[in-house]
């Protein structure tokens, strides 16, 4: 999985951090810390919880945690005095407070490349997932484009096919069906901006951004 934030992208599969198209080095512990903060965003994670996750069963000084936070901020160019992404909650811990977007499978992690500026997105809770050209499968299989963690979701439940300016939703023979705007679909149906898609008990919103919309508007 790849997560993009600002001009950076974190590739969890290859364990690489990109700033624009540049591969930025992070130590193993700093990478694990950034990954954890992204996974728990926007929750504040206590220092004790972070220390246990990074150094299980080992007592370490809080200075080690501060050093890793400083390394992350330097790598992503986040000002500690006016942070955009890594927020310090004094006396408690840290939180990832910026906007972050999960990229669908098959999209490059390098945030500086224009081709990852997708026109189509799926919004599910706090997740915003960019949809790539071609087939984007939704389901409970962790290896597919859009992973939905629910027992009511089939492993390959439905897919959204992107072809140029068009997006089509189709059920893949799921047990509980796929619903578009509260109606169960029986065949492939076109999608428009704002459509509500229900997969099992998970409600998602389909978003289509016009090509002329600026990058700032998309990320907002």
């Amino acid at each position: 999985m790849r997560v993009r934030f600002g001009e950076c992208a974190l590739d969890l599969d290859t364990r690489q951090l990109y700033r624009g198209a540049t591969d930025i080095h992070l130590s193993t512990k700093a990478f694990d810390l950034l990954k954890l903060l992204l996974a728990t965003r926007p929750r504040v994670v206590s220092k004790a919880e972070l220390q246990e996750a990074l150094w299980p069963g080992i007592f370490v000084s809080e200075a080690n945690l501060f050093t890793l936070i400083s390394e992350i901020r330097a790598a992503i160019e986040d000002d500690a005095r006016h942070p955009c992404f890594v927020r310090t909650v004094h006396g408690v811990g840290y939180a990832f407070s910026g906007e972050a977007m999960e990229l669908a499978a098959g999209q490059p992690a390098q945030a500086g490349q224009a081709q990852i500026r997708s026109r189509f997105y799926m919004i599910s809770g706090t997740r915003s997932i960019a949809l790539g050209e071609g087939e984007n499968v939704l389901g409970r299989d962790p290896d597919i484009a859009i992973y939905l963690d629910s027992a009511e979701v089939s492993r390959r439940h439905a897919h959204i096919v992107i072809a140029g300016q068009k997006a089509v939703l189709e059920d893949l023979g799921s047990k509980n069906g796929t619903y578009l705007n509260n109606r169960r679909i029986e065949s492939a149906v076109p999608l428009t901006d704002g459509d509500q898609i229900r997969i099992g008990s998970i409600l998602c919103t389909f978003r289509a951004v016009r090509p002329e919309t600026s990058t700032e508007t998309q990320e907002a």
Side-chain angles (χ1 to χ4, degrees):
M1 184 178 74
R2 292 150 292 242
V3 183
R4 177 163 64 85
F5 53 95
E7 293 303 314
C8 298
L10 195 70
D11 192 317
L12 305 183
D13 298 322
T14 63
R15 294 185 63 86
Q16 290 174 288
L17 171 68
Y18 295 96
R19 190 173 64 239
T22 304
D23 188 353
I24 304 299
H25 172 74
L26 270 185
S27 67
T28 300
K29 292 293 186 185
F31 186 97
D32 290 340
L33 175 55
L34 179 55
K35 175 183 175 181
L36 192 156
L37 292 176
L38 279 164
T40 55
R41 67 184 190 277
R43 180 172 71 87
V44 178
V45 188
S46 70
K47 294 178 182 179
E49 184 178 345
L50 291 172
Q51 288 176 315
E52 179 59 27
L54 296 170
W55 298 281
I58 302 174
F59 174 78
V60 295
S61 168
E62 284 188 8
N64 290 280
L65 193 57
F66 177 77
T67 298
L68 295 182
I69 290 291
S70 298
E71 180 184 348
I72 290 171
R73 284 176 170 154
I76 65 177
E77 297 185 343
D78 198 27
D79 189 345
R81 293 170 297 178
H82 305 286
C84 294
F85 300 109
V86 180
R87 179 168 66 95
T88 300
V89 182
H90 295 288
V92 182
Y94 300 93
F96 190 93
S97 57
E99 293 292 329
M101 176 181 296
E102 296 176 27
L103 303 179
Q107 291 186 285
Q110 293 89 335
Q113 294 184 356
Q115 57 263 43
I116 72 169
R117 303 294 189 180
S118 176
R119 286 194 61 243
F120 302 105
Y121 302 85
M122 283 284 290
I123 311 297
S124 176
T126 60
R127 300 172 64 195
S128 179
I129 307 168
L131 302 174
E133 184 76 11
E135 183 185 44
N136 300 268
V137 179
L138 301 87
R140 196 160 41 88
D141 187 339
D143 295 327
I144 62 178
I146 305 173
Y147 172 61
L148 302 175
D149 187 11
S150 171
E152 298 178 15
V153 176
S154 301
R155 292 185 65 83
R156 291 175 60 87
H157 196 107
H159 67 186
I160 296 175
V161 178
I162 306 296
Q165 309 302 316
K166 298 180 180 180
V168 173
L169 172 68
E170 185 177 13
D171 185 78
L172 296 178
S174 67
K175 179 179 179 181
N176 294 317
T178 300
Y179 291 78
L180 176 63
N181 299 324
N182 293 322
R183 292 186 178 182
R184 184 165 181 164
I185 63 173
E186 303 296 338
S187 59
V189 292
L191 292 171
T192 59
D193 184 46
D195 277 343
Q196 299 293 303
I197 301 171
R198 182 160 60 85
I199 306 290
S201 60
I202 298 177
L203 184 65
C204 305
T205 302
F206 175 78
R207 297 305 312 272
V209 181
R210 292 181 301 173
E212 64 269 21
T213 303
S214 68
T215 299
E216 289 76 12
T217 302
Q218 290 182 41
E219 294 182 348

